């Protein structure tokens, strides 16, 4: 009779978790409400369900958060200038662990899709410095340009893009 021994690592409730944050548009801009996605894994890289809250630099709860699907979650955040935010896990695996969200960007810009329907989709364009910016937005596929516009954005703007002019697989 042969005997076999195999060592298996198991994650425990107290193991340090890993969280990666994904701010909508790539950056958190102060005074602008935006989504911040996050992905939570255990030390083995397995997705983890968490519940917690976003807290400000005074440790005051701002928004409740939880993962909704295989380690993925998001929160809505309207970050104040010069305030740091963190995610605090309040239930289950990783309880009492905390993670710093990315700092706000006072010089960056953000682009996100605000709304879509059969005729149009709307882009939110925002600049942290709230000053005027001349920009160009182009929709293309390969070398073919299907739609383009030059415009002036003062801080934040909403751009309406006609869907009928765009083929599937378009890149902005």
């Amino acid at each position: 009779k042969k005997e076999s021994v195999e060592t298996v690592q198991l994650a425990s409730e107290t193991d340090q978790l890993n969280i990666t944050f994904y701010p909508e548009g790539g950056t958190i801009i102060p005074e602008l409400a935006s989504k911040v996605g996050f992905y939570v894994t255990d030390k083995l890289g397995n997705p983890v369900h968490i519940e917690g809250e976003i807290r400000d630099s005074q440790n005051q709860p701002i928004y409740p958060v939880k993962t909704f699907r295989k380690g993925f979650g998001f929160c809505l955040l309207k970050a104040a200038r010069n305030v740091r935010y963190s995610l605090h896990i309040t239930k289950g695996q990783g309880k009492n662990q905390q993670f710093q969200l990315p700092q706000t960007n006072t010089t960056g810009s953000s682009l996100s899709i605000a709304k879509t329907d059969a005729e149009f989709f709307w882009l939110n364009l925002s600049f942290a410095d709230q000053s005027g910016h001349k920009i160009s937005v182009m929709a293309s596929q390969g070398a073919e340009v299907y739609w383009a516009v030059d415009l002036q954005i003062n801080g934040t703007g909403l751009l309406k893009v006609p869907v009928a002019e765009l083929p599937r697989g378009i890149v902005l």
Side-chain angles (χ1 to χ4, degrees):
K1 183 177 177 181
K2 275 189 163 179
E3 203 171 290
S4 172
V5 176
E6 187 176 332
T7 303
V8 178
Q9 284 190 331
L10 298 174
S12 77
E13 294 279 315
T14 59
D15 286 342
Q16 182 67 34
L17 298 180
N18 301 302
I19 297 185
T20 304
F21 294 100
Y22 301 97
E24 182 177 44
T27 189
I28 299 173
I29 296 179
E31 311 303 328
L32 176 68
S34 63
K35 291 178 188 170
V36 178
F38 57 89
Y39 181 60
V40 186
T41 59
D42 63 17
K43 70 178 183 179
L44 304 174
N46 299 312
V48 175
H49 173 72
I50 63 155
E51 291 186 39
E53 56 198 16
I54 301 297
R55 295 184 187 174
D56 64 16
S57 53
Q58 303 300 312
N59 207 32
Q60 296 301 306
I62 305 297
Y63 302 105
V65 296
K66 65 180 179 178
T67 52
F68 57 87
R69 187 177 201 200
K70 296 191 179 202
F72 288 100
F74 74 90
C75 64
L76 298 174
L77 179 66
K78 185 173 184 181
R81 290 187 186 279
N82 304 315
V83 175
R84 289 299 313 255
Y85 295 90
S86 56
L87 187 155
H88 292 251
I89 300 175
T90 57
K91 291 183 182 175
Q93 189 171 349
K95 183 177 178 180
N96 297 324
Q97 292 181 30
Q98 60 185 22
F99 303 87
Q100 291 291 315
L101 272 71
Q103 282 190 276
T104 57
N105 186 343
T106 58
T107 60
S109 61
S110 175
L111 180 142
S112 62
I113 295 178
K115 180 181 169 185
T116 62
D117 63 29
E119 294 182 58
F120 299 97
F121 67 89
W122 286 261
L123 295 175
N124 278 326
L125 302 162
S126 303
F127 291 89
D129 63 11
Q130 296 296 308
S131 63
H133 294 268
K134 289 183 180 181
I135 65 166
S136 298
V137 178
M138 178 176 68
S140 65
Q141 187 178 47
E144 186 77 27
V145 175
Y146 291 93
W147 182 87
V149 66
D150 294 319
L151 62 143
Q152 174 82 22
I153 299 284
N154 295 313
T156 299
L158 192 61
L159 177 60
K160 188 175 175 181
V161 180
V163 173
E165 296 179 29
L166 309 176
R168 289 189 175 275
I170 202 70
V171 177
L172 288 174

